[in-house]
Structure formats: structure tokens, C-alpha cells
Amino acid sequence: MNFLRGVMGGQSAGPQHTEAETIQKLCDRVASSTLLDDRRDAVRALKSLSKKYRLEVGIQAMEHLIHVLQTDRSDSEIIGYALDTLFNIISNDEEEEVDDVEEENSTRQSEDLGSQFTEIFIKQQENVTLLLSLLEEFDFHVRWPGVKLLTSLLKQLGPQVQQIILVSPMGVSRLMDLLADSREVIRNDGVLLLQALTRSNGAIQKIVAFENAFERLLDIITEEGNSDGGIVVEDCLILLQNLLKNNNSNQNFFKEGSYIQRMKPWFEVGDENSGWSAQKVTNLHLMLQLVRVLVSPTNPPGATSSCQKAMFQCGLLQQLCTILMATGVPADILTETINTVSEVIRGCQVNQDYFASVNAPSNPPRPAIVVLLMSMVNERQPFVLRCAVLYCFQCFLYKNQKGQGEIVSTLLPSTIDATGNSVSAGQLLCGGLFSTDSLSNWCAAVALAHALQENATQKEQLLRVQLATSIGNPPVSLLQQCTNILSQGSKIQTRVGLLMLLCTWLSNCPIAVTHFLHNSANVPFLTGQIAENLGEEEQLVQGLCALLLGISIYFNDNSLESYMKEKLKQLIEKRIGKENFIEKLGFISKHELYSRASQKPQPNFPSPEYMIFDHEFTKLVKELEGVITKAIYKSSEEDKKEEEVKKTLEQHDNIVTHYKNVIREQDLQLEELKQQISTLKCQNEQLQTAVTQQVSQIQQHKDQYNLLKVQLGKDNQHQVSSSDGAQMNGIQPEEIGRLREEIEELKSNQELLQSQLAEKDSLIENLKSSLTTPGTNEATASAGESEQIAELKQELTTLKSQLISQSGEITKLQTEKQELLQKTEAFAKSVPVPVESETVIAAKTADVEGRLSALLQETEELKNEIKALSEERDAIKEQLDSSNSTIAILQNERNKLEVDITDSKKEQDDLLVLLADQDQKIFSLKNKLKEFGHPIEEEDELESGDQDDEDVEDEDDSKDQGHIQL
């Protein structure tokens, strides 16, 4: 540094010229030597001189060093020396000790020197691109110096270097590879490099995030031990803050990637008192700040809300509340945890409800809200902690009418604990409101004002609160007690807090205004305060008094004759003057602390005397200042017109509210109908799938039946030719009679089936007549709805024709059964039947069973089609709002039809079971015939009759196939 000071100061120093000549000779060797070893030795010597003689080496050697980086890339050793030398030239890290007098000047000179050399280096953008390409080398002696050099460049001239890297192909991707390096020193310095790279550059932040930075950084934090980790965890957390803060795109990517869930283990700190090192406190503080970045009130509301819900679902909020109620937590961590919980629950109903249910681990358990409020009104607690608790309470009540009602209810007589065993939130607020500590007064007044924010119901409820001021005296209302304290001339901070509470209480609440004006001492007190000429400290109180009086005028319903709007305005004009009143009102927004409080919701003050305004109150002032000014200058006629307009608007609002309720009910009904339609569609799809499967199965059975029939015909011909002389011998008459009885029973069952189908046909006719009969409301339907009803009629006609064809099929089946009965009687009397004819009988019985199954399937199809008609009828029902009665009738008829069809299906199933039993009995008779051992031959007449039966069956099969296709 002596040489540097000599050069910078223009001093003459003989020995330094020798070093300058040495540096010049070394630069010449680097430029002219043909042997790599000579150039390497020269660069190593320049490196050793670069720290002490930074200026000279930088001026003479930078160009040669850059040339080495370009030409000698094959030798990692000389590249490493060159990078180290450039780092020493550009970096501002001071290692030499300097005197206190010279320290400031040398630091400034060093910074200027580093910035100048950086500007020279990046003037040629190819130099930065060259440096990025060198970072791809895995050799430690190249990659590590390259990382340090690029980091130093970013620290010197960050925006310019960021722009060069941004336009460089794959520039950011090459730097992201550093996080995957197995050597911790390179990985850790890579994190520092990315910190400098991502600072205040949204485009690079997005690229780094989409290069999987979140995953890698969270893995590093986990590997290092989360909050128990070292400085590496701190660096990773700072980089995460750079990527997420004020970057909505990255915040959304962080949430969608489920990275919020991976933050929960960070806060599993337990109750140990010995585990809080300085590094752990720093890490946990950064972790809490990272959570706040995701749920900051300045973020878009939708993004904040989704992050809040994700934090509740993954248990992160529960973990934070555990730290909140734990023992042994350092004060600064506890304060930051309270602020973090505040923003996690702010405006989120689910999180606010959970926070209301949290209890402190005490005996007996107390709600966390009560424990926090006890700290807020305790003047011995640290100031920053009390501010954090106030912010937490404000966030708990923000847009939370349920929580506001619970807080106010603790003040009402019906809910106060008579035993005095427990302290409620309302009692703590009242105690703080009337304590001797002005800061407690202000905090309690602001907290109570937030319990009334935009909630007219609770403003009215709070009017019921009565306070016992002293023994023997009657209780007074909370409103009256607040005005009594104001009139006693307490501290400015106390009066400001009470005036903010009263202004919030009376705004948009005419009943509260009436109660306030009912006390005859309040208006004279306000006018007296406003009219006096007081010092600058009292001007803020005068402005708040003017605001309170203006609210009493603007929201006055003229229910008190002595304090009507017009009389109050006349009083202001006589006692104060309108111009003077408006001037005093303007003192509020002109106060130096007003703009500071209006910027952020969090009450962040350097000391207690700065706690004057509340953020929500500044919004109220901004809203009311203009309307109160207009109200003061309005005449009585304008007030009357305004009242009439208000009444008209109220009537209009009532009408709109009524129609909104009607529309909401209709929306609910429509949603229910949509759900029913979707359910019916699903059922229809399932039934159609089942029908398709059954049709394919029926086709397979028919194919098998036709194949067996052909084979059976061949076997019958061979059997007839070989057993003409066989005779029936020994068949018992009882068996033949039983067979006849069973066949008669089968015939009666078939007749019963026909009668049931006829009843179903008549039921469909009744449905058709009911659908074709127009109701009172259908007469007014549109032409399009008439067309839909005509289509329903056409489909019902089609269904009827299908039922008629099914009746014909039943008749054919009955005829075939009669023929089968005749043939069986012939078998019993005189015709010897071959043994193979039993197969024919079984095949025919199976055919009858198959046809009955087909009829059952077609009945199911009919049911599906009727359901389809029902859905179309429901569609008509949605379009005709005025046809409710007709729709109800159609719905009842549809239900009856479904019940009847269900009954018909059950009866068909019963008939199928009877047929199966009959078939089993026929098989048992055959088995008994076989047991007698007497073969039966079939006559030629029977054979020809069987052939005719087979022809009829083929025709019936083709008809059945046609029905199935329908």
C-alpha cells in the first residue's frame, strides 16, 4: 500500500521504480516468451506482486493477462495464476493494516481503483464471455479463481456485468452449475456469486429460478442442518430472498412447486434453552423474513391468499404458533415470529380461526390472543415486542367480522366471567385504555378501533358496554368514559388514541353519533378545543377534534332536535368559522407522521413518541376529509335533497338485494339440477356399457347355438337311420303325467308374461297421454319448446311400436311352447324317441331362455330411453321458469313409470327363474328316462316337425337380432 499511496499521491519514491521496472520486464516475458514455462513463471511473479503493487500491475499487465486467458487455455496452472492476478487487481479486499487517519482515504481510493479496472475489463464484452466459458472447466485451479473474479466484477459494477451475462448464451445456466459442484468451497462461493448476480434484476431472478435454483438451495439448507447450519445456510437464505422479494412470478413458481411445504422443518426448534447460537438466531431470523416475503401485504392479494392457505395446509402456521408459545426463545426471534404469524393470518379466515383456537401451555390454558395482549399493555415489555403484538392483533381482526364479534362480546355483561378467574381480551383492552401508561392507552385504543373497523353491528354492540368507575357510583358507558378522559387533559398520545377510537366508532354509525351527541358536554368541549389558539403540539389534537365533530355532522340522522345537522353547522360558523374549521381539519394529513403511517400496515416506529397514527385510520381520514368539507359548506336545502337521494338509493339497494337473493336461490337450484343431470349421465353411460357387453354375449351365444344346431342335425340323421326298429319299453305313466303338468305350468307362466307386458303397454299409453296433455303453463310455451314436446311424443310412439313387436315375440314363443307340448305328448304315447333328441329339447329350451333374456335386455333399453326422455324433459323444465306445476306433474309421472318398470323387471326376473326351474325339471326327466335304459326313436313326422321348428327358430333369431340393434 505504500507504493499505491506513492503513486496516487504523486510522491517520488526511488525503490518503487525498481519494482515498476520488474513488473515491466515480467509483462514483456509474458508477451514474448515462446516457452510455456517461462510465461507461467512470469504470471506467477505478477500474481505475487499484484496485491502490494496493484495499480502498476493493473496498468501494465491486464492486457497481457487477458491474452493469456485466450491463448493458454490448455494449461490450467497458468490460467489459474492469471485469474488470481486479475482478482487481486480488481478486488477491493484490504488485507494490510492502515492507520485510522489514513483508513477512510485509502478505502475510497481502493474502491475507485477497483471500479476503474472493472470498467476497463468489461469494456470488451468478450472478456466476460471468456470468463464464463472458463467456469465450465472442472479443474479447481481454474474454476475457483474464475468464480471469485466474476463475483468481484459484479460487486464493482453489478448492473453492467448483469446485462452482459444476460445477453450471453447460456450465461446464467453455466453459473447455476456451480451449485452442483461436489467441492464445497466452489459451491459456497457460487452461492455468493449468484447473490451478486440476482440483486435487483428481475429478469435474471426469473432465469435462475427456472434453472431449478429453489430445489438446489433447499437441498443445501437441508444438508447443512436447517436453522442449526452455519454461514452457508445464511448465504442460501439471502439468495432465496433475492429471488423472491418483489418478484411475483418467482413467488408463484415457489408456491406451485410445493416448496412452501419444505420450509416447515426449518422451524422445528423445540424448547431447548441451550441451542440458540448467534448463527442459529441469524438463520432463523432470515427464515422468518423469507416467510414474510411470500405473504407480504404489498403482494397481489390472490398470491398472498394462496400462500397463506398453503402454509396452513402443510402445518407451517402451526409450527410458527408453537415457537410463539414456547419458552426460552430469544426476544428478537419472538418479535419476528409474532410479525410473521401476523402476516400469515392477515385477511385469511381459515388461518384467523386457527389462531383464535391456539392456547398457551399454561395451567389453566389461556388463549394465545389473551397472552399476547397481556404483553402489549405491560409497560415493562420491550417496545418492539409491544408493536409486534399490536400488529398481530390488527392482522387477526383484518376482514374478520367473526373475530371482531368475539372480541367485543368479551366486553358485554352477558359474557363476562362473574367468578373473575379468567381475564378476557376485552378486559385487557379496557385496562390498557384507562391505565396510566400513555403507550398502553394508544395501543389499546387502536386495537379496539380495529375491532370496530367496517363493522356497524359491533359498533352498536359496543354502545352496551358499561364500566364501573368507582364504588357507590352508577356505571357509565364506555363511550362516555372515553370522552371523560379526553376532557381531563391527559397526554397527547392518550388523547390522540382516544380520538382515533371515537372517530372510527362514530363513522358510518348514526346510532353511535346520537349517543355521543346525547351527552350535552361533548359538543361544547369539541368546539372549545377547535376554537382555541394553542401551540403546534396541540394542533394535531385540534384537527382530530374537528374530524370527530365533522363525523357527528355528516353521519347525523337528525334524531336529536337540539343537535341537528343545520344547528351544528351554525354553531361551527359562529364559534369557529368554516374556514378555520377546515384549516384545523387539514392539520391531520399535513402532519409529518401521517404519511409514514399510511405507507405500511405494520406499526414500525423507532421510539414510543413516534406512535401517533394508525395505518387504517389514515385511510379513514383520506376517505372522510373531503366529504366532511363538502358537508360543512352545504345548505339545508342541499341536505334535504341529499337525504332524499339517500332514501332512494336505499330503496334501490333493497330491491337489488332482493333480486340478488332470488338469483342466488335460483343459482343454487340450477346447480342442484346440473348435479342431477351429471349423475344421470354417468348412470346412462354405465348402462350403455352394460348393454353393449350383453349384446356381444348374446351374439356369441347365438353363434354357439347355430353351430350346435348344425351338428345336432347331422347326428339326428345318423341316429334315425341306425335305430328304426327300436321300441320304447317300460316308461312309467306317472313320469309322463308329471312332464305334462310341468309343461302346462310353463304355458301358464308364458300367458302371465304376456299379460304383464300388456299392462306395461297400457302404462306407456297413459304416460303418452299425460305428456301430450298441455298444462296451464305449457300453453304459453314458445315454439321451440313445442317442438321438443313433439319429439318426446314421437319417441314414445317408437317405444310403443317396440313393445308391440315384443308382444309378437312372446306370442311366437307361446306357439313354440305349444308345439313342444304336443311333441312331448306324442313321445309319451307311441313314438320312440332316440336318446340324441334330448339334446334337441335342451337346445330349444335354452333358445327360449335366450329369447326371454333378449326381452329382458330390450326392457332395459326401454328403461334407458325413458330416462333419456326424462332428461330432455328436465331440460325443458330449466327453460320454462313459469311451468313449475307442469314440471312437477311430469316428474311424479316419471317416478311412477320408473317404479312400474322396476316392478316389471322384477317380474321378468321371476319368470326367468321359473323357466330355469322348468328346464332343470326337464333335464331331470331326461336323466330318469336314461336310467330306465329304454332308448326312444323319433318318427319321420317328428323329424320333419323338428326341421320346421328349426326354420322358425332361425327366423326368430334374425328378428331378435333386429330388436337388439334397435
Side-chain angles (χ1 to χ4, degrees):
M1 291 305 295
N2 293 330
F3 170 76
L4 175 63
R5 286 195 293 272
V7 173
M8 297 296 295
Q11 299 175 358
S12 61
Q16 285 80 359
H17 289 294
T18 303
E19 298 298 338
E21 293 174 356
T22 303
I23 294 171
Q24 181 62 44
K25 290 179 181 179
L26 291 174
C27 291
D28 292 340
R29 286 180 60 187
V30 172
S32 60
S33 295
T34 57
L35 295 178
L36 179 61
D37 291 340
D38 290 342
R39 294 197 302 275
R40 186 188 306 119
D41 292 340
V43 174
R44 183 189 300 115
L46 288 172
K47 173 188 172 184
S48 63
L49 295 171
S50 59
K51 288 187 178 180
K52 188 173 183 180
Y53 305 107
R54 177 181 174 191
L55 176 62
E56 191 67 25
V57 173
I59 292 174
Q60 297 189 40
M62 179 176 286
E63 184 178 353
H64 301 293
L65 293 172
I66 294 173
H67 183 69
V68 168
L69 296 179
Q70 294 171 344
T71 58
D72 293 330
R73 291 192 61 172
S74 60
D75 186 72
S76 60
E77 191 173 356
I78 191 173
I79 295 295
Y81 292 149
L83 291 172
D84 283 334
T85 306
L86 288 171
F87 173 73
N88 292 336
I89 294 170
I90 293 174
S91 175
N92 290 329
D93 296 337
E94 296 290 338
E95 295 185 359
E96 297 184 4
E97 296 182 359
V98 294
D99 298 335
D100 294 338
V101 180
E102 300 175 348
E103 182 176 2
E104 184 177 353
N105 293 331
S106 64
T107 302
R108 186 181 300 109
Q109 292 172 356
S110 178
E111 290 177 355
D112 293 341
L113 196 60
S115 179
Q116 290 173 4
F117 283 135
T118 301
E119 188 174 358
I120 295 172
F121 184 84
I122 68 173
K123 188 175 183 180
Q124 299 293 329
Q125 296 188 7
E126 295 80 5
N127 295 338
V128 179
T129 306
L130 174 63
L131 185 56
L132 291 173
S133 65
L134 289 173
L135 291 179
E136 293 182 345
E137 298 290 339
F138 187 73
D139 191 289
F140 181 80
H141 296 92
V142 176
R143 179 172 270 196
W144 189 40
V147 170
K148 293 193 296 181
L149 176 57
L150 188 56
T151 305
S152 182
L153 292 174
L154 285 165
K155 288 181 179 178
Q156 295 293 343
L157 295 175
Q160 294 90 326
V161 180
Q162 286 174 340
Q163 192 61 32
I164 296 173
I165 295 175
L166 188 61
V167 299
S168 176
M170 300 295 292
V172 178
S173 299
R174 291 171 179 172
L175 301 180
M176 285 301 300
D177 294 337
L178 299 174
L179 295 182
D181 200 301
S182 58
R183 295 159 294 193
E184 289 189 2
V185 62
I186 295 180
R187 184 200 66 183
N188 298 344
D189 283 349
V191 174
L192 297 176
L193 170 60
L194 290 173
Q195 280 185 20
L197 179 66
T198 57
R199 189 172 292 116
S200 303
N201 192 307
I204 293 180
Q205 290 168 2
K206 292 179 183 178
I207 296 174
V208 171
F210 282 97
E211 287 284 347
N212 207 22
F214 293 140
E215 184 76 27
R216 296 182 183 181
L217 291 173
L218 292 174
D219 288 341
I220 293 173
I221 293 173
T222 304
E223 292 171 4
E224 295 292 327
N226 293 326
S227 60
D228 294 322
I231 190 68
V232 179
V233 173
E234 179 182 348
D235 293 336
C236 291
L237 292 170
I238 294 174
L239 178 54
L240 283 173
Q241 283 195 13
N242 288 351
L243 296 175
L244 292 173
K245 195 169 186 179
N246 299 324
N247 194 318
N248 298 330
S249 175
N250 283 1
Q251 290 175 8
N252 185 61
F253 181 69
F254 192 84
K255 178 186 70 68
E256 295 296 335
S258 300
Y259 296 119
I260 291 178
Q261 289 81 338
R262 297 187 59 180
M263 298 170 71
K264 181 185 175 184
W266 295 355
F267 305 102
E268 295 175 356
V269 295
D271 293 333
E272 306 89 12
N273 295 329
S274 60
W276 293 96
S277 62
Q279 185 62 56
K280 181 174 182 178
V281 171
T282 301
N283 292 343
L284 202 57
H285 194 78
L286 289 171
M287 290 172 177
L288 291 169
Q289 288 182 346
L290 195 60
V291 175
R292 294 185 65 183
V293 166
L294 296 172
V295 294
S296 173
T298 59
N299 293 342
T304 300
S305 176
S306 59
C307 289
Q308 288 172 331
K309 292 177 181 177
M311 290 177 182
F312 173 76
Q313 292 171 355
C314 73
L316 178 58
L317 174 59
Q318 294 86 327
Q319 199 67 45
L320 292 174
C321 290
T322 302
I323 298 177
L324 200 66
M325 295 291 106
T327 57
V329 180
D332 53 346
I333 293 297
L334 179 61
T335 301
E336 189 64 21
T337 303
I338 295 173
N339 288 326
T340 305
V341 171
S342 304
E343 295 184 351
V344 173
I345 67 173
R346 187 176 189 269
C348 182
Q349 188 66 52
V350 177
N351 295 4
Q352 289 168 336
D353 292 343
Y354 171 77
F355 184 71
S357 66
V358 174
N359 289 324
S362 59
N363 190 17
R366 286 181 175 176
I369 298 174
V370 173
V371 175
L372 291 175
L373 288 178
M374 291 173 68
S375 300
M376 186 186 74
V377 298
N378 186 355
E379 56 184 310
R380 290 175 294 181
Q381 292 292 341
F383 172 67
V384 290
L385 179 64
R386 299 175 72 180
C387 291
V389 173
L390 175 61
Y391 184 46
C392 185
F393 191 73
Q394 292 174 349
C395 292
F396 169 67
L397 297 178
Y398 182 71
K399 293 184 179 180
N400 183 11
Q401 293 192 352
K402 177 182 176 183
Q404 290 174 326
E406 292 174 353
I407 296 298
V408 173
S409 66
T410 59
L411 287 166
L412 300 178
S414 59
T415 57
I416 294 178
D417 187 3
T419 61
N421 294 329
S422 62
V423 180
S424 66
Q427 292 171 336
L428 287 172
L429 291 177
C430 279
L433 195 63
F434 307 126
S435 70
T436 57
D437 178 29
S438 61
L439 183 59
S440 297
N441 301 152
W442 190 91
C443 291
V446 170
L448 198 56
H450 278 262
L452 307 176
Q453 199 76 35
E454 297 180 0
N455 196 331
T457 302
Q458 302 311 321
K459 292 178 181 179
E460 296 176 8
Q461 289 291 324
L462 200 63
L463 295 172
R464 299 169 48 201
V465 176
Q466 300 289 322
L467 302 176
T469 55
S470 59
I471 300 175
N473 293 328
V476 297
S477 67
L478 176 62
L479 183 66
Q480 181 60 43
Q481 185 65 15
C482 290
T483 56
N484 291 341
I485 296 176
L486 274 177
S487 60
Q488 292 173 4
S490 52
K491 295 181 180 180
I492 290 181
Q493 192 174 39
T494 301
R495 285 183 288 164
V496 169
L498 290 172
L499 285 169
M500 287 195 296
L501 171 60
L502 290 173
C503 290
T504 305
W505 194 348
L506 269 60
S507 63
N508 292 293
C509 186
I511 298 177
V513 171
T514 302
H515 279 72
F516 179 77
L517 296 176
H518 191 73
N519 186 352
S520 58
N522 289 338
V523 173
F525 168 75
L526 293 178
T527 54
Q529 287 286 318
I530 300 169
E532 290 183 6
N533 292 321
L534 303 175
E536 293 183 359
E537 294 182 356
E538 295 291 334
Q539 286 183 349
L540 178 59
V541 176
Q542 288 182 313
L544 292 172
C545 289
L547 178 64
L548 182 58
L549 185 57
I551 290 173
S552 301
I553 295 173
Y554 184 73
F555 295 104
N556 193 339
D557 59 359
N558 293 326
S559 58
L560 294 177
E561 185 177 356
S562 56
Y563 290 108
M564 297 176 68
K565 284 185 178 182
E566 191 61 30
K567 292 185 178 180
L568 288 175
K569 287 193 285 187
Q570 292 175 0
L571 181 64
I572 289 175
E573 189 172 3
K574 292 178 180 179
R575 293 283 306 274
I576 305 171
K578 292 182 179 181
E579 289 77 10
N580 190 23
F581 179 85
I582 300 303
E583 182 183 359
K584 297 292 178 68
L585 182 63
F587 285 160
I588 301 175
S589 57
K590 293 177 182 178
H591 198 278
E592 57 181 355
L593 297 178
Y594 176 87
S595 59
R596 181 172 182 172
S598 63
Q599 293 174 358
K600 292 183 179 180
Q602 181 181 359
N604 189 11
F605 305 102
S607 58
E609 58 268 16
Y610 287 91
M611 293 187 73
I612 297 297
F613 286 109
D614 172 58
H615 177 75
E616 293 297 327
F617 181 74
T618 60
K619 294 182 181 180
L620 182 66
V621 172
K622 187 176 181 180
E623 176 186 350
L624 295 179
E625 187 175 4
V627 296
I628 289 175
T629 302
K630 292 180 181 179
I632 294 298
Y633 285 105
K634 280 181 182 178
S635 61
S636 59
E637 295 180 356
E638 292 176 343
D639 286 337
K640 291 180 180 179
K641 291 181 179 179
E642 186 177 350
E643 290 294 333
E644 293 177 357
V645 172
K646 284 185 178 180
K647 291 180 180 179
T648 305
L649 290 176
E650 288 177 358
Q651 294 176 357
H652 175 70
D653 291 341
N654 292 333
I655 295 173
V656 171
T657 303
H658 171 70
Y659 280 111
K660 282 183 179 179
N661 294 330
V662 172
I663 292 172
R664 190 177 296 109
E665 293 175 358
Q666 291 179 349
D667 288 341
L668 293 175
Q669 294 176 359
L670 183 61
E671 195 65 29
E672 292 177 357
L673 292 173
K674 286 182 179 179
Q675 292 177 359
Q676 293 178 3
I677 288 173
S678 61
T679 303
L680 292 174
K681 283 183 178 179
C682 293
Q683 294 177 356
N684 186 24
E685 291 175 358
Q686 294 175 358
L687 292 174
Q688 287 180 353
T689 303
V691 166
T692 304
Q693 294 176 355
Q694 291 179 1
V695 167
S696 62
Q697 292 176 0
I698 290 172
Q699 185 62 39
Q700 292 176 2
H701 290 319
K702 285 190 175 182
D703 294 340
Q704 294 175 1
Y705 166 73
N706 292 330
L707 180 60
L708 291 174
K709 186 169 65 174
V710 172
Q711 294 177 356
L712 182 60
K714 294 179 181 179
D715 294 339
N716 285 338
Q717 290 178 1
H718 177 71
Q719 184 66 28
V720 169
S721 63
S722 63
S723 45
D724 288 338
Q727 298 291 331
M728 184 176 68
N729 187 9
I731 296 178
Q732 297 296 329
E734 294 82 356
E735 296 294 335
I736 297 297
R738 187 177 303 166
L739 180 60
R740 289 177 180 175
E741 291 176 357
E742 291 174 351
I743 292 176
E744 285 291 339
E745 185 178 357
L746 179 61
K747 181 179 178 181
S748 62
N749 288 334
Q750 290 293 95
E751 293 176 353
L752 178 62
L753 175 62
Q754 185 177 9
S755 63
Q756 290 175 352
L757 290 176
E759 291 176 358
K760 186 168 66 174
D761 185 27
S762 63
L763 185 61
I764 296 298
E765 286 291 338
N766 293 334
L767 176 62
K768 175 183 176 184
S769 61
S770 65
L771 289 175
T772 55
T773 303
T776 303
N777 295 328
E778 286 179 335
T780 62
S782 63
E785 295 163 350
S786 300
E787 291 177 1
Q788 292 181 356
I789 294 174
E791 290 176 1
L792 289 175
K793 293 178 181 179
Q794 183 64 31
E795 291 181 2
L796 286 175
T797 304
T798 304
L799 291 176
K800 181 178 179 183
S801 63
Q802 291 179 5
L803 288 177
I804 293 173
S805 63
Q806 287 181 358
S807 299
E809 290 295 326
I810 294 298
T811 304
K812 290 180 181 180
L813 288 174
Q814 186 177 10
T815 304
E816 290 179 3
K817 288 298 177 181
Q818 290 177 356
E819 292 175 357
L820 180 61
L821 179 60
Q822 293 174 0
K823 292 174 185 178
T824 305
E825 290 176 352
F827 295 159
K829 289 180 180 179
S830 60
V831 181
V833 181
V835 176
E836 286 77 6
S837 62
E838 296 172 359
T839 307
V840 177
I841 296 173
K844 291 182 178 180
T845 306
D847 180 63
V848 172
E849 180 181 358
R851 293 182 182 182
L852 289 177
S853 299
L855 286 175
L856 182 60
Q857 181 60 37
E858 290 175 357
T859 303
E860 288 292 333
E861 293 177 354
L862 177 62
K863 180 179 178 181
N864 291 334
E865 292 175 354
I866 291 174
K867 286 183 178 180
L869 292 175
S870 169
E871 292 175 357
E872 293 179 1
R873 185 174 61 190
D874 290 339
I876 294 174
K877 176 181 177 181
E878 294 176 358
Q879 297 173 1
L880 298 175
D881 293 336
S882 62
S883 59
N884 293 330
S885 60
T886 304
I887 291 172
I889 294 172
L890 292 176
Q891 185 69 24
N892 293 331
E893 290 176 353
R894 186 192 67 177
N895 294 336
K896 291 179 182 179
L897 181 59
E898 288 180 352
V899 172
D900 294 337
I901 290 175
T902 304
D903 295 337
S904 176
K905 180 181 176 182
K906 291 181 180 179
E907 292 170 357
Q908 293 284 352
D909 293 337
D910 295 337
L911 179 59
L912 185 59
V913 171
L914 292 174
L915 290 177
D917 294 338
Q918 184 64 32
D919 181 71
Q920 185 63 33
K921 291 179 181 179
I922 292 173
F923 273 109
S924 65
L925 290 175
K926 291 177 184 178
N927 293 331
K928 290 181 180 179
L929 289 175
K930 288 181 180 181
E931 290 174 0
F932 289 130
H934 297 287
I936 302 173
E937 295 182 356
E938 184 179 13
E939 292 182 351
D940 295 338
E941 179 182 356
L942 180 58
E943 183 178 358
S944 61
D946 291 340
Q947 187 65 32
D948 295 337
D949 292 339
E950 290 171 1
D951 296 337
V952 172
E953 290 168 358
D954 291 339
E955 295 175 0
D956 293 339
D957 290 341
S958 63
K959 293 180 179 180
D960 290 342
Q961 184 64 25
H963 286 300
I964 292 172
Q965 292 174 356
L966 288 174

